[in-house]
Amino acid sequence: LGQDFTLGSLKDDGYDAVFLGMGNPEGVKPSIKGGDVQGVDEAVAFLREYNLRGSAKCGKKVVVVGGGNAAIDAARTARRLGAEVTVVYRRTKDQMPAYAEEIDESIQEGVVIKTLVNPVEIVSEDNKVSGVRCLEMKLGEFDSSGRRRAEKSEESFVIEADQVIFAIGQTVDCNAYCSDIPLDIVDSSRIKTDVMTGQTSIPWVFAGGDISTGPASVIDAVAGGERAAVGIDMMLTGANHAFWREEQKVETSYDPDSDPFPYNRERLPLLAVERRRNNFDEVEQPWVEAEAIRQARRCLRCDYGKC
């Protein structure tokens, strides 16, 4: 799209509607001294290469920059490919947006996490990564996100590395896809849409997922696709056929007045660390049948007995 064909050419070919759902496939790299040398990569591209090819270029000493799930995914992947991995994050561990269990499991697998650390320069030799110069950070006042702002100190140090993987965000260049159609675009990375139908400023063009909301969750993208499906159908037929949105009666033997079971939540069993460090086998294992049934009987009625 934008090269072999365009939105305009699709319209000329007789298509009545087009849905754009390409997400935010491009990773963000910061403007940092030495950021263009060999061995500086981006997490989404690194993970995509491994998942498509079953292999990816990976150094022996890897530094991953970031604190989200993509950073931890990249770190755990590099670790399984045999690298010594260090994750650096400018805030504290408690402020990392990655899932807590993912962080803990990465540490069990040998990933080193350095917090209150901010990279300021990629150190290189012969145009290849040899290390990352970092500043130590300290926490300041609270910012608009509700977290304490990370402030730089004057103390710096270098972490030895032959590869640096940045995992600091994702984006998309909407203009590359929509240059021939005057769509309303926000900051070149988000298509403006109707929140209920996914319709853009061009009536026959719809969009959903990260390309319209910015980076969000899988369920947000699924919901965007559903809304746009309804919106496209309404544009073509003039009627709302979203029958699945109607409330369905579900016959169940559940008795809301029965005594709830006060079982504690049981964590899923994990594959032993020594059995998962050098492979990509599923880490989370299923419960045995008896435990699954027991967990299904747990009380999930937070309002029970409080009305």
Side-chain angles (χ1 to χ4, degrees), residues 18-79:
V18 174
F19 174 75
L20 301 175
M22 61 280 288
N24 279 196
E26 301 159 21
V28 176
K29 280 187 180 180
S31 299
I32 186 174
K33 184 178 180 181
D36 56 352
V37 302
Q38 201 172 354
V40 177
D41 295 301
E42 188 280 317
V44 172
F46 174 75
L47 292 168
R48 182 188 297 119
E49 182 181 1
Y50 176 79
N51 281 281
L52 290 177
R53 298 176 54 189
S55 64
K57 181 181 176 183
C58 185
K60 294 181 178 179
K61 292 187 176 181
V62 176
V63 170
V64 178
V65 181
N69 285 317
I72 300 301
D73 284 348
R76 296 180 75 182
T77 299
R79 184 75 180 120

Side-chain angles (χ1 to χ4, degrees), residues 244-258:
W244 60 87
R245 291 184 180 174
E246 298 173 4
E247 186 175 351
Q248 302 290 323
K249 274 195 170 185
V250 179
E251 297 298 330
T252 176
S253 60
Y254 172 67
D255 180 4
D257 294 322
S258 65

